[in-house]
């Protein structure tokens, strides 16, 4: 059953706006000053690096895409459970040397979980990106013997990446934790960007008119039934007035639809998310990056 809860803003935090270069196929540019656009491009790393108190980073590749696995230094979870972060770069050092999801990563590693990610750009739930993800999943579950059901952590446009793979491989997923995630690509980033932005070999390769006709075939919000049938548990944190990824069309609508499918989804609505920062757009705040509730959900038995 979907439940709607609330929380309050505690303190401002420097925002992590999930945009990157169109040229790299990472994300459509925001309506912002050129200096901000350049900074957003620089956030997305081109190599894998990071230091962790409780883990060791292993860099790898899946075809021509960079990827990684962070192994726990201490006792490994008996079931070899793991968390898959979308987009990939939030669990490693970004272009400015910060690890945005360090709170979640360190706690997962301390609990014996592995953490992983693969670069599929801003591919907006495309079948091509899902194929890359499946290749990565196969590598981790065979060579590294990780648990056959992954736990996904998705943030902003990473929602489309995570759900794009999960809806095609629902029995490979145990639960999905979202931080203001996009689930309806018609509302974010919009069909014109979905058709034109993704990097070569990661998009839909369809003209806009054809994609408009077939949108419900690919759009995650329209394809939740396989996840509900597979018993995938969901928790989303979302601001009550997100002007970037609209709350009603994404988090709230997912809760409604999943409830009708008898799925287990909890939608946590954060009151006034980012209200102390004019640039947050209701899409960024400390509750997202340091949520005890979200990490408890991700690590639960």
């Amino acid at each position: 059953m979907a439940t709607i809860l609330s929380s309050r803003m505690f303190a401002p935090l420097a925002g992590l706006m999930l945009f990157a270069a169109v040229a790299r196929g990472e994300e459509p540019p925001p309506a912002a000053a050129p200096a901000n656009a350049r900074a957003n491009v620089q956030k997305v790393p081109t190599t894998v690096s990071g230091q962790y108190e409780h883990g060791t980073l292993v860099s790898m590749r899946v075809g021509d895409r960079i990827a990684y696995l962070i192994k726990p230094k201490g006792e490994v979870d008996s079931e070899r459970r793991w968390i898959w972060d979308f987009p990939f770069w939030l669990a490693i050092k970004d272009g400015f040397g910060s690890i945005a999801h360090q709170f979640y990563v360190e706690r997962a590693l301390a609990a014996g979980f592995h953490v992983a990610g693969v670069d599929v750009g801003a591919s907006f739930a495309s079948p091509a990106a899902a194929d890359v993800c499946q290749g990565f999943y196969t590598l981790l579950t065979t060579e590294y013997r990780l648990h056959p059901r992954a736990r996904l952590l998705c943030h902003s446009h990473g929602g489309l990446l995570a759900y794009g793979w999960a809806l095609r491989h629902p029995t490979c997923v145990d639960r999905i934790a979202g931080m203001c995630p996009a689930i309806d690509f018609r509302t974010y980033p919009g069909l014109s960007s979905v058709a034109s932005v993704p990097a070569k070999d990661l998009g839909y390769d369809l003209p806009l008119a054809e994609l408009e006709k077939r949108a419900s075939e690919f759009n995650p919000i329209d394809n939740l039934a396989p996840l509900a049938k597979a018993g995938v548990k969901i928790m989303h944190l979302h601001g009550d007035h997100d002007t970037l990824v609209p709350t009603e069309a994404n988090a709230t609508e997912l809760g409604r639809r999943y409830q009708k499918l008898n799925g287990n989804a909890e939608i946590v609505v954060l009151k006034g998310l980012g209200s102390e920062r004019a640039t947050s757009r209701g899409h960024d705040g400390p509750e997202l990056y340091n949520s005890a509730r979200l990490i408890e959900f991700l690590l639960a038995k």
Side-chain angles (χ1 to χ4, degrees), residues 22-26 64-65 119-123 126 128-129 132 195-205:
V22 173
R24 294 189 61 235
E26 300 298 340
D64 62 350
R65 313 302 297 181
D119 176 16
V120 289
S123 41
S126 74
V132 174
S196 63
V197 166
K200 184 178 183 296
D201 299 325
L202 287 177
Y204 287 87
D205 294 328

Side-chain angles (χ1 to χ4, degrees), residues 60 68-69 80 82-84 114-117 133-147:
M60 57 185 68
Y68 61 86
L69 178 65
R80 300 185 68 80
W82 55 294
I83 293 172
W84 189 344
H114 289 68
V115 179
C133 288
Q134 186 62 14
F136 183 54
Y137 166 87
T138 300
L139 172 66
L140 295 185
T141 54
T142 54
E143 184 171 336
Y144 292 92
R145 299 179 294 107
L146 297 190
H147 196 282

Side-chain angles (χ1 to χ4, degrees), residues 16-19 27 85-87 89-90 101 124 153-163 177-184 188-189 236-238 242 244-245 250 283-284 288-289:
L16 181 64
M17 302 307 293
L18 304 181
F19 300 111
E27 184 92 19
D85 209 353
F86 295 86
W89 53 277
L90 296 177
H101 285 179
F124 309 126
L153 174 60
C154 56
H155 197 155
S156 195
H157 84 274
L160 294 173
L161 309 181
Y163 278 88
M179 303 159 68
C180 296
I183 311 299
D184 183 349
Y188 180 83
H236 285 189
L237 309 183
H238 212 118
D242 190 328
L244 183 65
V245 177
N250 289 272
H283 189 71
D284 187 47
L288 299 179
Y289 301 95

